[in-house]
Amino acid sequence: MEDNFSFLNQIENGTVLSVKLVPNSSYSKIIDYTQEYLRIKISSPAVENRANKELVSFCAKTFDINKSQIEIISGEKSKLKKILFKKINKDKIIQKLLFVLDSK
């Protein structure tokens, strides 16, 4: 199971998620994943940081954690991003992700 989620990396202070963001979509939803990233559609446009803000809110809601525990650590102006879930175990993210993907 761990091999299927190579876009998630456990580090000392949390878990890093690699994301490919699709902004300006008609809805916000996890679409699919590859070995490199989780693909997420966001309804906000990539203007004035709105897509990034919505991505943080969407991840907080989806993974049931506080927005303050989520930080975009790279790719702020790119579609490919790395998101840090502070003090969150990789297994918790995988468990929530399996639930979300299963309910698609």
Side-chain angles (χ1 to χ4, degrees), residues 1-8 17-22 29-41 63 80 93-94 96-102 104:
M1 178 171 78
E2 294 277 326
D3 295 336
N4 294 336
F5 298 103
S6 55
F7 53 84
L8 278 169
L17 168 65
S18 296
V19 171
K20 181 170 187 181
L21 188 66
V22 181
K29 186 175 183 175
I30 294 174
I31 301 303
D32 57 16
Y33 63 93
T34 68
Q35 288 185 340
E36 292 87 33
Y37 54 77
L38 180 68
R39 194 161 58 121
I40 301 176
K41 283 187 174 183
F63 296 107
L80 294 175
I93 302 296
I94 290 173
K96 291 284 185 183
L97 191 55
L98 286 172
F99 177 76
V100 170
L101 292 172
D102 213 30
K104 278 177 69 172

PDB file of all heavy atoms in Angstrom, residues 1-8 17-22 29-41 63 80 93-94 96-102 104:
ATOM      1  N   MET A   1       0.821  -1.195   0.000  1.00  0.00           N
ATOM      2  CA  MET A   1       0.000   0.000   0.000  1.00  0.00           C
ATOM      3  C   MET A   1       0.865   1.259   0.000  1.00  0.00           C
ATOM      4  O   MET A   1       0.578   2.206  -0.690  1.00  0.00           O
ATOM      5  CB  MET A   1      -0.928  -0.007   1.214  1.00  0.00           C
ATOM      6  CG  MET A   1      -1.779   1.248   1.305  1.00  0.00           C
ATOM      7  SD  MET A   1      -3.056   1.178   2.547  1.00  0.00           S
ATOM      8  CE  MET A   1      -2.124   1.491   4.024  1.00  0.00           C
ATOM      9  N   GLU A   2       1.924   1.279   0.752  1.00  0.00           N
ATOM     10  CA  GLU A   2       2.805   2.433   0.831  1.00  0.00           C
ATOM     11  C   GLU A   2       3.340   2.820  -0.551  1.00  0.00           C
ATOM     12  O   GLU A   2       3.468   3.985  -0.840  1.00  0.00           O
ATOM     13  CB  GLU A   2       3.983   2.140   1.763  1.00  0.00           C
ATOM     14  CG  GLU A   2       3.600   1.954   3.205  1.00  0.00           C
ATOM     15  CD  GLU A   2       3.456   3.267   3.947  1.00  0.00           C
ATOM     16  OE1 GLU A   2       4.198   4.215   3.648  1.00  0.00           O
ATOM     17  OE2 GLU A   2       2.591   3.348   4.820  1.00  0.00           O
ATOM     18  N   ASP A   3       3.639   1.831  -1.395  1.00  0.00           N
ATOM     19  CA  ASP A   3       4.204   2.101  -2.710  1.00  0.00           C
ATOM     20  C   ASP A   3       3.234   2.861  -3.602  1.00  0.00           C
ATOM     21  O   ASP A   3       3.640   3.603  -4.484  1.00  0.00           O
ATOM     22  CB  ASP A   3       4.628   0.804  -3.393  1.00  0.00           C
ATOM     23  CG  ASP A   3       5.760   0.103  -2.663  1.00  0.00           C
ATOM     24  OD1 ASP A   3       6.510   0.771  -1.938  1.00  0.00           O
ATOM     25  OD2 ASP A   3       5.867  -1.117  -2.818  1.00  0.00           O
ATOM     26  N   ASN A   4       1.921   2.680  -3.388  1.00  0.00           N
ATOM     27  CA  ASN A   4       0.922   3.366  -4.198  1.00  0.00           C
ATOM     28  C   ASN A   4       0.851   4.859  -3.888  1.00  0.00           C
ATOM     29  O   ASN A   4       0.279   5.619  -4.639  1.00  0.00           O
ATOM     30  CB  ASN A   4      -0.458   2.743  -3.970  1.00  0.00           C
ATOM     31  CG  ASN A   4      -0.530   1.323  -4.480  1.00  0.00           C
ATOM     32  OD1 ASN A   4       0.231   0.939  -5.351  1.00  0.00           O
ATOM     33  ND2 ASN A   4      -1.434   0.549  -3.942  1.00  0.00           N
ATOM     34  N   PHE A   5       1.394   5.255  -2.770  1.00  0.00           N
ATOM     35  CA  PHE A   5       1.305   6.645  -2.344  1.00  0.00           C
ATOM     36  C   PHE A   5       2.684   7.290  -2.242  1.00  0.00           C
ATOM     37  O   PHE A   5       3.005   7.931  -1.257  1.00  0.00           O
ATOM     38  CB  PHE A   5       0.548   6.733  -1.011  1.00  0.00           C
ATOM     39  CG  PHE A   5      -0.869   6.245  -1.116  1.00  0.00           C
ATOM     40  CD1 PHE A   5      -1.214   4.992  -0.634  1.00  0.00           C
ATOM     41  CD2 PHE A   5      -1.841   7.025  -1.721  1.00  0.00           C
ATOM     42  CE1 PHE A   5      -2.516   4.536  -0.744  1.00  0.00           C
ATOM     43  CE2 PHE A   5      -3.150   6.581  -1.833  1.00  0.00           C
ATOM     44  CZ  PHE A   5      -3.493   5.330  -1.347  1.00  0.00           C
ATOM     45  N   SER A   6       3.472   7.164  -3.302  1.00  0.00           N
ATOM     46  CA  SER A   6       4.827   7.724  -3.287  1.00  0.00           C
ATOM     47  C   SER A   6       4.811   9.249  -3.375  1.00  0.00           C
ATOM     48  O   SER A   6       5.840   9.883  -3.201  1.00  0.00           O
ATOM     49  CB  SER A   6       5.669   7.117  -4.411  1.00  0.00           C
ATOM     50  OG  SER A   6       5.032   7.278  -5.652  1.00  0.00           O
ATOM     51  N   PHE A   7       3.647   9.852  -3.608  1.00  0.00           N
ATOM     52  CA  PHE A   7       3.521  11.302  -3.607  1.00  0.00           C
ATOM     53  C   PHE A   7       3.406  11.855  -2.179  1.00  0.00           C
ATOM     54  O   PHE A   7       3.323  13.060  -1.982  1.00  0.00           O
ATOM     55  CB  PHE A   7       2.314  11.767  -4.440  1.00  0.00           C
ATOM     56  CG  PHE A   7       1.025  11.112  -4.054  1.00  0.00           C
ATOM     57  CD1 PHE A   7       0.265  11.594  -3.013  1.00  0.00           C
ATOM     58  CD2 PHE A   7       0.572   9.993  -4.761  1.00  0.00           C
ATOM     59  CE1 PHE A   7      -0.923  10.992  -2.651  1.00  0.00           C
ATOM     60  CE2 PHE A   7      -0.615   9.386  -4.409  1.00  0.00           C
ATOM     61  CZ  PHE A   7      -1.368   9.886  -3.344  1.00  0.00           C
ATOM     62  N   LEU A   8       3.399  10.957  -1.189  1.00  0.00           N
ATOM     63  CA  LEU A   8       3.388  11.332   0.226  1.00  0.00           C
ATOM     64  C   LEU A   8       4.727  10.956   0.848  1.00  0.00           C
ATOM     65  O   LEU A   8       5.195   9.834   0.670  1.00  0.00           O
ATOM     66  CB  LEU A   8       2.293  10.561   0.969  1.00  0.00           C
ATOM     67  CG  LEU A   8       0.872  11.078   0.886  1.00  0.00           C
ATOM     68  CD1 LEU A   8      -0.083  10.041   1.459  1.00  0.00           C
ATOM     69  CD2 LEU A   8       0.717  12.387   1.616  1.00  0.00           C
ATOM     70  N   LEU A  17       2.894  16.337   0.971  1.00  0.00           N
ATOM     71  CA  LEU A  17       2.043  15.845  -0.108  1.00  0.00           C
ATOM     72  C   LEU A  17       2.398  16.602  -1.379  1.00  0.00           C
ATOM     73  O   LEU A  17       2.450  17.834  -1.376  1.00  0.00           O
ATOM     74  CB  LEU A  17       0.570  16.090   0.247  1.00  0.00           C
ATOM     75  CG  LEU A  17      -0.475  15.902  -0.840  1.00  0.00           C
ATOM     76  CD1 LEU A  17      -0.550  14.443  -1.278  1.00  0.00           C
ATOM     77  CD2 LEU A  17      -1.833  16.378  -0.351  1.00  0.00           C
ATOM     78  N   SER A  18       2.659  15.874  -2.471  1.00  0.00           N
ATOM     79  CA  SER A  18       2.891  16.494  -3.775  1.00  0.00           C
ATOM     80  C   SER A  18       1.553  16.567  -4.502  1.00  0.00           C
ATOM     81  O   SER A  18       0.844  15.562  -4.607  1.00  0.00           O
ATOM     82  CB  SER A  18       3.881  15.679  -4.600  1.00  0.00           C
ATOM     83  OG  SER A  18       5.134  15.660  -3.964  1.00  0.00           O
ATOM     84  N   VAL A  19       1.220  17.757  -4.990  1.00  0.00           N
ATOM     85  CA  VAL A  19      -0.084  18.010  -5.601  1.00  0.00           C
ATOM     86  C   VAL A  19       0.095  18.636  -6.967  1.00  0.00           C
ATOM     87  O   VAL A  19       0.976  19.469  -7.174  1.00  0.00           O
ATOM     88  CB  VAL A  19      -0.908  18.993  -4.717  1.00  0.00           C
ATOM     89  CG1 VAL A  19      -2.164  19.456  -5.425  1.00  0.00           C
ATOM     90  CG2 VAL A  19      -1.257  18.362  -3.397  1.00  0.00           C
ATOM     91  N   LYS A  20      -0.767  18.235  -7.902  1.00  0.00           N
ATOM     92  CA  LYS A  20      -0.907  18.960  -9.161  1.00  0.00           C
ATOM     93  C   LYS A  20      -2.267  19.628  -9.095  1.00  0.00           C
ATOM     94  O   LYS A  20      -3.297  18.959  -9.021  1.00  0.00           O
ATOM     95  CB  LYS A  20      -0.814  18.047 -10.373  1.00  0.00           C
ATOM     96  CG  LYS A  20      -0.930  18.839 -11.674  1.00  0.00           C
ATOM     97  CD  LYS A  20      -0.599  18.020 -12.891  1.00  0.00           C
ATOM     98  CE  LYS A  20      -0.560  18.898 -14.117  1.00  0.00           C
ATOM     99  NZ  LYS A  20      -0.259  18.104 -15.305  1.00  0.00           N
ATOM    100  N   LEU A  21      -2.277  20.949  -9.077  1.00  0.00           N
ATOM    101  CA  LEU A  21      -3.496  21.718  -8.900  1.00  0.00           C
ATOM    102  C   LEU A  21      -4.104  22.074 -10.255  1.00  0.00           C
ATOM    103  O   LEU A  21      -3.398  22.506 -11.162  1.00  0.00           O
ATOM    104  CB  LEU A  21      -3.178  22.996  -8.117  1.00  0.00           C
ATOM    105  CG  LEU A  21      -4.363  23.829  -7.680  1.00  0.00           C
ATOM    106  CD1 LEU A  21      -5.200  23.069  -6.662  1.00  0.00           C
ATOM    107  CD2 LEU A  21      -3.882  25.134  -7.076  1.00  0.00           C
ATOM    108  N   VAL A  22      -5.410  21.902 -10.368  1.00  0.00           N
ATOM    109  CA  VAL A  22      -6.151  22.306 -11.558  1.00  0.00           C
ATOM    110  C   VAL A  22      -7.120  23.405 -11.105  1.00  0.00           C
ATOM    111  O   VAL A  22      -8.193  23.117 -10.582  1.00  0.00           O
ATOM    112  CB  VAL A  22      -6.924  21.120 -12.181  1.00  0.00           C
ATOM    113  CG1 VAL A  22      -7.657  21.559 -13.434  1.00  0.00           C
ATOM    114  CG2 VAL A  22      -5.986  19.961 -12.479  1.00  0.00           C
ATOM    115  N   LYS A  29     -12.397  19.015  -5.989  1.00  0.00           N
ATOM    116  CA  LYS A  29     -12.431  17.574  -5.762  1.00  0.00           C
ATOM    117  C   LYS A  29     -11.080  16.947  -6.062  1.00  0.00           C
ATOM    118  O   LYS A  29     -10.345  17.428  -6.915  1.00  0.00           O
ATOM    119  CB  LYS A  29     -13.497  16.954  -6.671  1.00  0.00           C
ATOM    120  CG  LYS A  29     -13.742  15.496  -6.453  1.00  0.00           C
ATOM    121  CD  LYS A  29     -14.890  14.993  -7.305  1.00  0.00           C
ATOM    122  CE  LYS A  29     -15.148  13.529  -7.004  1.00  0.00           C
ATOM    123  NZ  LYS A  29     -16.307  13.009  -7.685  1.00  0.00           N
ATOM    124  N   ILE A  30     -10.767  15.860  -5.342  1.00  0.00           N
ATOM    125  CA  ILE A  30      -9.596  15.043  -5.686  1.00  0.00           C
ATOM    126  C   ILE A  30      -9.977  14.229  -6.913  1.00  0.00           C
ATOM    127  O   ILE A  30     -11.000  13.538  -6.912  1.00  0.00           O
ATOM    128  CB  ILE A  30      -9.194  14.123  -4.522  1.00  0.00           C
ATOM    129  CG1 ILE A  30      -8.704  14.958  -3.332  1.00  0.00           C
ATOM    130  CG2 ILE A  30      -8.120  13.122  -4.971  1.00  0.00           C
ATOM    131  CD1 ILE A  30      -8.426  14.162  -2.079  1.00  0.00           C
ATOM    132  N   ILE A  31      -9.161  14.325  -7.945  1.00  0.00           N
ATOM    133  CA  ILE A  31      -9.478  13.640  -9.199  1.00  0.00           C
ATOM    134  C   ILE A  31      -8.851  12.251  -9.248  1.00  0.00           C
ATOM    135  O   ILE A  31      -9.532  11.261  -9.425  1.00  0.00           O
ATOM    136  CB  ILE A  31      -8.988  14.471 -10.413  1.00  0.00           C
ATOM    137  CG1 ILE A  31      -9.649  15.842 -10.398  1.00  0.00           C
ATOM    138  CG2 ILE A  31      -9.265  13.756 -11.721  1.00  0.00           C
ATOM    139  CD1 ILE A  31     -11.147  15.808 -10.399  1.00  0.00           C
ATOM    140  N   ASP A  32      -7.528  12.191  -9.131  1.00  0.00           N
ATOM    141  CA  ASP A  32      -6.815  10.926  -9.214  1.00  0.00           C
ATOM    142  C   ASP A  32      -5.393  11.148  -8.706  1.00  0.00           C
ATOM    143  O   ASP A  32      -5.086  12.207  -8.183  1.00  0.00           O
ATOM    144  CB  ASP A  32      -6.812  10.366 -10.642  1.00  0.00           C
ATOM    145  CG  ASP A  32      -6.227  11.326 -11.671  1.00  0.00           C
ATOM    146  OD1 ASP A  32      -5.538  12.293 -11.275  1.00  0.00           O
ATOM    147  OD2 ASP A  32      -6.448  11.120 -12.870  1.00  0.00           O
ATOM    148  N   TYR A  33      -4.546  10.150  -8.896  1.00  0.00           N
ATOM    149  CA  TYR A  33      -3.157  10.306  -8.491  1.00  0.00           C
ATOM    150  C   TYR A  33      -2.247   9.466  -9.375  1.00  0.00           C
ATOM    151  O   TYR A  33      -2.682   8.528 -10.035  1.00  0.00           O
ATOM    152  CB  TYR A  33      -2.951   9.930  -7.020  1.00  0.00           C
ATOM    153  CG  TYR A  33      -3.250   8.487  -6.671  1.00  0.00           C
ATOM    154  CD1 TYR A  33      -2.247   7.527  -6.690  1.00  0.00           C
ATOM    155  CD2 TYR A  33      -4.529   8.096  -6.314  1.00  0.00           C
ATOM    156  CE1 TYR A  33      -2.511   6.210  -6.370  1.00  0.00           C
ATOM    157  CE2 TYR A  33      -4.809   6.784  -5.985  1.00  0.00           C
ATOM    158  CZ  TYR A  33      -3.798   5.844  -6.011  1.00  0.00           C
ATOM    159  OH  TYR A  33      -4.064   4.538  -5.693  1.00  0.00           O
ATOM    160  N   THR A  34      -0.988   9.897  -9.409  1.00  0.00           N
ATOM    161  CA  THR A  34       0.065   9.153 -10.094  1.00  0.00           C
ATOM    162  C   THR A  34       1.134   8.880  -9.037  1.00  0.00           C
ATOM    163  O   THR A  34       0.952   9.237  -7.878  1.00  0.00           O
ATOM    164  CB  THR A  34       0.686   9.988 -11.237  1.00  0.00           C
ATOM    165  OG1 THR A  34       1.399  11.089 -10.671  1.00  0.00           O
ATOM    166  CG2 THR A  34      -0.363  10.484 -12.209  1.00  0.00           C
ATOM    167  N   GLN A  35       2.247   8.316  -9.433  1.00  0.00           N
ATOM    168  CA  GLN A  35       3.340   8.121  -8.482  1.00  0.00           C
ATOM    169  C   GLN A  35       3.927   9.452  -8.035  1.00  0.00           C
ATOM    170  O   GLN A  35       4.445   9.566  -6.937  1.00  0.00           O
ATOM    171  CB  GLN A  35       4.445   7.256  -9.090  1.00  0.00           C
ATOM    172  CG  GLN A  35       4.058   5.813  -9.224  1.00  0.00           C
ATOM    173  CD  GLN A  35       5.220   4.969  -9.706  1.00  0.00           C
ATOM    174  OE1 GLN A  35       6.179   5.470 -10.283  1.00  0.00           O
ATOM    175  NE2 GLN A  35       5.135   3.672  -9.471  1.00  0.00           N
ATOM    176  N   GLU A  36       3.815  10.488  -8.881  1.00  0.00           N
ATOM    177  CA  GLU A  36       4.432  11.779  -8.589  1.00  0.00           C
ATOM    178  C   GLU A  36       3.552  12.724  -7.783  1.00  0.00           C
ATOM    179  O   GLU A  36       4.056  13.528  -7.005  1.00  0.00           O
ATOM    180  CB  GLU A  36       4.840  12.498  -9.886  1.00  0.00           C
ATOM    181  CG  GLU A  36       5.965  11.822 -10.635  1.00  0.00           C
ATOM    182  CD  GLU A  36       5.440  10.745 -11.583  1.00  0.00           C
ATOM    183  OE1 GLU A  36       4.326  10.916 -12.134  1.00  0.00           O
ATOM    184  OE2 GLU A  36       6.129   9.735 -11.751  1.00  0.00           O
ATOM    185  N   TYR A  37       2.224  12.700  -7.987  1.00  0.00           N
ATOM    186  CA  TYR A  37       1.361  13.689  -7.344  1.00  0.00           C
ATOM    187  C   TYR A  37      -0.089  13.238  -7.239  1.00  0.00           C
ATOM    188  O   TYR A  37      -0.523  12.318  -7.935  1.00  0.00           O
ATOM    189  CB  TYR A  37       1.423  15.034  -8.088  1.00  0.00           C
ATOM    190  CG  TYR A  37       1.120  14.923  -9.568  1.00  0.00           C
ATOM    191  CD1 TYR A  37      -0.181  14.772 -10.037  1.00  0.00           C
ATOM    192  CD2 TYR A  37       2.142  14.968 -10.507  1.00  0.00           C
ATOM    193  CE1 TYR A  37      -0.456  14.665 -11.387  1.00  0.00           C
ATOM    194  CE2 TYR A  37       1.887  14.861 -11.864  1.00  0.00           C
ATOM    195  CZ  TYR A  37       0.577  14.720 -12.294  1.00  0.00           C
ATOM    196  OH  TYR A  37       0.313  14.601 -13.629  1.00  0.00           O
ATOM    197  N   LEU A  38      -0.808  13.936  -6.353  1.00  0.00           N
ATOM    198  CA  LEU A  38      -2.253  13.814  -6.210  1.00  0.00           C
ATOM    199  C   LEU A  38      -2.842  14.967  -7.008  1.00  0.00           C
ATOM    200  O   LEU A  38      -2.413  16.116  -6.853  1.00  0.00           O
ATOM    201  CB  LEU A  38      -2.638  13.940  -4.731  1.00  0.00           C
ATOM    202  CG  LEU A  38      -4.105  13.841  -4.362  1.00  0.00           C
ATOM    203  CD1 LEU A  38      -4.616  12.420  -4.614  1.00  0.00           C
ATOM    204  CD2 LEU A  38      -4.301  14.195  -2.898  1.00  0.00           C
ATOM    205  N   ARG A  39      -3.784  14.691  -7.899  1.00  0.00           N
ATOM    206  CA  ARG A  39      -4.368  15.750  -8.733  1.00  0.00           C
ATOM    207  C   ARG A  39      -5.664  16.240  -8.090  1.00  0.00           C
ATOM    208  O   ARG A  39      -6.558  15.444  -7.816  1.00  0.00           O
ATOM    209  CB  ARG A  39      -4.617  15.255 -10.148  1.00  0.00           C
ATOM    210  CG  ARG A  39      -4.891  16.368 -11.129  1.00  0.00           C
ATOM    211  CD  ARG A  39      -4.671  15.932 -12.552  1.00  0.00           C
ATOM    212  NE  ARG A  39      -5.491  14.800 -12.899  1.00  0.00           N
ATOM    213  CZ  ARG A  39      -6.381  14.786 -13.888  1.00  0.00           C
ATOM    214  NH1 ARG A  39      -6.544  15.847 -14.645  1.00  0.00           N
ATOM    215  NH2 ARG A  39      -7.074  13.705 -14.134  1.00  0.00           N
ATOM    216  N   ILE A  40      -5.727  17.552  -7.848  1.00  0.00           N
ATOM    217  CA  ILE A  40      -6.876  18.158  -7.183  1.00  0.00           C
ATOM    218  C   ILE A  40      -7.410  19.303  -8.034  1.00  0.00           C
ATOM    219  O   ILE A  40      -6.658  20.178  -8.457  1.00  0.00           O
ATOM    220  CB  ILE A  40      -6.487  18.700  -5.785  1.00  0.00           C
ATOM    221  CG1 ILE A  40      -5.949  17.580  -4.900  1.00  0.00           C
ATOM    222  CG2 ILE A  40      -7.683  19.394  -5.133  1.00  0.00           C
ATOM    223  CD1 ILE A  40      -5.458  18.038  -3.540  1.00  0.00           C
ATOM    224  N   LYS A  41      -8.728  19.290  -8.266  1.00  0.00           N
ATOM    225  CA  LYS A  41      -9.389  20.404  -8.928  1.00  0.00           C
ATOM    226  C   LYS A  41      -9.884  21.367  -7.860  1.00  0.00           C
ATOM    227  O   LYS A  41     -10.400  20.944  -6.830  1.00  0.00           O
ATOM    228  CB  LYS A  41     -10.602  19.923  -9.734  1.00  0.00           C
ATOM    229  CG  LYS A  41     -10.269  19.264 -11.038  1.00  0.00           C
ATOM    230  CD  LYS A  41     -11.524  18.995 -11.824  1.00  0.00           C
ATOM    231  CE  LYS A  41     -11.185  18.475 -13.203  1.00  0.00           C
ATOM    232  NZ  LYS A  41     -12.408  18.275 -14.016  1.00  0.00           N
ATOM    233  N   PHE A  63      -8.974  16.205   4.851  1.00  0.00           N
ATOM    234  CA  PHE A  63      -8.155  15.383   5.741  1.00  0.00           C
ATOM    235  C   PHE A  63      -8.472  15.609   7.218  1.00  0.00           C
ATOM    236  O   PHE A  63      -7.817  15.065   8.089  1.00  0.00           O
ATOM    237  CB  PHE A  63      -6.667  15.612   5.453  1.00  0.00           C
ATOM    238  CG  PHE A  63      -6.275  15.179   4.069  1.00  0.00           C
ATOM    239  CD1 PHE A  63      -5.992  16.112   3.093  1.00  0.00           C
ATOM    240  CD2 PHE A  63      -6.212  13.830   3.735  1.00  0.00           C
ATOM    241  CE1 PHE A  63      -5.642  15.716   1.801  1.00  0.00           C
ATOM    242  CE2 PHE A  63      -5.859  13.422   2.459  1.00  0.00           C
ATOM    243  CZ  PHE A  63      -5.581  14.366   1.490  1.00  0.00           C
ATOM    244  N   LEU A  80       2.310  22.553  -9.810  1.00  0.00           N
ATOM    245  CA  LEU A  80       2.894  21.488  -9.000  1.00  0.00           C
ATOM    246  C   LEU A  80       3.333  22.076  -7.673  1.00  0.00           C
ATOM    247  O   LEU A  80       4.132  23.006  -7.631  1.00  0.00           O
ATOM    248  CB  LEU A  80       4.084  20.843  -9.724  1.00  0.00           C
ATOM    249  CG  LEU A  80       3.735  20.089 -11.001  1.00  0.00           C
ATOM    250  CD1 LEU A  80       5.005  19.611 -11.694  1.00  0.00           C
ATOM    251  CD2 LEU A  80       2.828  18.917 -10.714  1.00  0.00           C
ATOM    252  N   ILE A  93      -2.968  10.488   6.784  1.00  0.00           N
ATOM    253  CA  ILE A  93      -3.294  11.047   5.465  1.00  0.00           C
ATOM    254  C   ILE A  93      -3.726   9.926   4.521  1.00  0.00           C
ATOM    255  O   ILE A  93      -4.712  10.050   3.805  1.00  0.00           O
ATOM    256  CB  ILE A  93      -2.088  11.823   4.877  1.00  0.00           C
ATOM    257  CG1 ILE A  93      -1.655  12.946   5.817  1.00  0.00           C
ATOM    258  CG2 ILE A  93      -2.402  12.345   3.483  1.00  0.00           C
ATOM    259  CD1 ILE A  93      -2.672  14.036   6.039  1.00  0.00           C
ATOM    260  N   ILE A  94      -3.003   8.812   4.529  1.00  0.00           N
ATOM    261  CA  ILE A  94      -3.349   7.678   3.679  1.00  0.00           C
ATOM    262  C   ILE A  94      -4.737   7.153   4.026  1.00  0.00           C
ATOM    263  O   ILE A  94      -5.555   6.887   3.138  1.00  0.00           O
ATOM    264  CB  ILE A  94      -2.296   6.551   3.778  1.00  0.00           C
ATOM    265  CG1 ILE A  94      -0.993   6.994   3.104  1.00  0.00           C
ATOM    266  CG2 ILE A  94      -2.812   5.253   3.151  1.00  0.00           C
ATOM    267  CD1 ILE A  94       0.161   6.045   3.285  1.00  0.00           C
ATOM    268  N   LYS A  96      -7.325   8.720   5.378  1.00  0.00           N
ATOM    269  CA  LYS A  96      -8.347   9.658   4.888  1.00  0.00           C
ATOM    270  C   LYS A  96      -8.436   9.626   3.369  1.00  0.00           C
ATOM    271  O   LYS A  96      -9.517   9.662   2.805  1.00  0.00           O
ATOM    272  CB  LYS A  96      -8.031  11.087   5.355  1.00  0.00           C
ATOM    273  CG  LYS A  96      -8.184  11.289   6.816  1.00  0.00           C
ATOM    274  CD  LYS A  96      -9.641  11.381   7.187  1.00  0.00           C
ATOM    275  CE  LYS A  96      -9.780  11.716   8.662  1.00  0.00           C
ATOM    276  NZ  LYS A  96     -11.167  11.744   9.083  1.00  0.00           N
ATOM    277  N   LEU A  97      -7.284   9.527   2.713  1.00  0.00           N
ATOM    278  CA  LEU A  97      -7.255   9.523   1.251  1.00  0.00           C
ATOM    279  C   LEU A  97      -7.946   8.271   0.707  1.00  0.00           C
ATOM    280  O   LEU A  97      -8.714   8.350  -0.250  1.00  0.00           O
ATOM    281  CB  LEU A  97      -5.802   9.586   0.770  1.00  0.00           C
ATOM    282  CG  LEU A  97      -5.570   9.846  -0.698  1.00  0.00           C
ATOM    283  CD1 LEU A  97      -6.278  11.113  -1.156  1.00  0.00           C
ATOM    284  CD2 LEU A  97      -4.085   9.966  -0.965  1.00  0.00           C
ATOM    285  N   LEU A  98      -7.695   7.138   1.320  1.00  0.00           N
ATOM    286  CA  LEU A  98      -8.371   5.908   0.883  1.00  0.00           C
ATOM    287  C   LEU A  98      -9.875   6.036   1.024  1.00  0.00           C
ATOM    288  O   LEU A  98     -10.633   5.607   0.147  1.00  0.00           O
ATOM    289  CB  LEU A  98      -7.869   4.709   1.691  1.00  0.00           C
ATOM    290  CG  LEU A  98      -6.468   4.225   1.345  1.00  0.00           C
ATOM    291  CD1 LEU A  98      -6.002   3.171   2.345  1.00  0.00           C
ATOM    292  CD2 LEU A  98      -6.408   3.660  -0.077  1.00  0.00           C
ATOM    293  N   PHE A  99     -10.329   6.646   2.107  1.00  0.00           N
ATOM    294  CA  PHE A  99     -11.761   6.851   2.323  1.00  0.00           C
ATOM    295  C   PHE A  99     -12.342   7.744   1.220  1.00  0.00           C
ATOM    296  O   PHE A  99     -13.378   7.445   0.646  1.00  0.00           O
ATOM    297  CB  PHE A  99     -12.020   7.460   3.703  1.00  0.00           C
ATOM    298  CG  PHE A  99     -13.460   7.756   3.967  1.00  0.00           C
ATOM    299  CD1 PHE A  99     -14.351   6.742   4.279  1.00  0.00           C
ATOM    300  CD2 PHE A  99     -13.933   9.058   3.874  1.00  0.00           C
ATOM    301  CE1 PHE A  99     -15.678   7.009   4.507  1.00  0.00           C
ATOM    302  CE2 PHE A  99     -15.271   9.338   4.093  1.00  0.00           C
ATOM    303  CZ  PHE A  99     -16.144   8.305   4.418  1.00  0.00           C
ATOM    304  N   VAL A 100     -11.667   8.856   0.923  1.00  0.00           N
ATOM    305  CA  VAL A 100     -12.140   9.798  -0.093  1.00  0.00           C
ATOM    306  C   VAL A 100     -12.146   9.144  -1.480  1.00  0.00           C
ATOM    307  O   VAL A 100     -13.118   9.258  -2.222  1.00  0.00           O
ATOM    308  CB  VAL A 100     -11.259  11.073  -0.114  1.00  0.00           C
ATOM    309  CG1 VAL A 100     -11.575  11.948  -1.311  1.00  0.00           C
ATOM    310  CG2 VAL A 100     -11.455  11.848   1.191  1.00  0.00           C
ATOM    311  N   LEU A 101     -11.076   8.440  -1.815  1.00  0.00           N
ATOM    312  CA  LEU A 101     -11.007   7.801  -3.138  1.00  0.00           C
ATOM    313  C   LEU A 101     -12.026   6.668  -3.269  1.00  0.00           C
ATOM    314  O   LEU A 101     -12.564   6.444  -4.341  1.00  0.00           O
ATOM    315  CB  LEU A 101      -9.587   7.268  -3.387  1.00  0.00           C
ATOM    316  CG  LEU A 101      -8.502   8.330  -3.563  1.00  0.00           C
ATOM    317  CD1 LEU A 101      -7.136   7.678  -3.595  1.00  0.00           C
ATOM    318  CD2 LEU A 101      -8.734   9.163  -4.798  1.00  0.00           C
ATOM    319  N   ASP A 102     -12.291   5.996  -2.174  1.00  0.00           N
ATOM    320  CA  ASP A 102     -13.260   4.897  -2.157  1.00  0.00           C
ATOM    321  C   ASP A 102     -14.682   5.411  -2.355  1.00  0.00           C
ATOM    322  O   ASP A 102     -15.511   4.702  -2.922  1.00  0.00           O
ATOM    323  CB  ASP A 102     -13.156   4.138  -0.833  1.00  0.00           C
ATOM    324  CG  ASP A 102     -13.457   2.667  -1.008  1.00  0.00           C
ATOM    325  OD1 ASP A 102     -13.184   2.134  -2.095  1.00  0.00           O
ATOM    326  OD2 ASP A 102     -13.972   2.073  -0.041  1.00  0.00           O
ATOM    327  N   LYS A 104     -15.618   7.843  -4.223  1.00  0.00           N
ATOM    328  CA  LYS A 104     -15.793   8.505  -5.532  1.00  0.00           C
ATOM    329  C   LYS A 104     -16.829   7.793  -6.358  1.00  0.00           C
ATOM    330  O   LYS A 104     -16.952   6.641  -6.419  1.00  0.00           O
ATOM    331  CB  LYS A 104     -14.469   8.538  -6.299  1.00  0.00           C
ATOM    332  CG  LYS A 104     -13.583   9.665  -5.870  1.00  0.00           C
ATOM    333  CD  LYS A 104     -12.266   9.639  -6.570  1.00  0.00           C
ATOM    334  CE  LYS A 104     -12.411   9.978  -8.043  1.00  0.00           C
ATOM    335  NZ  LYS A 104     -11.139  10.148  -8.714  1.00  0.00           N
TER     336      LYS A 104
END
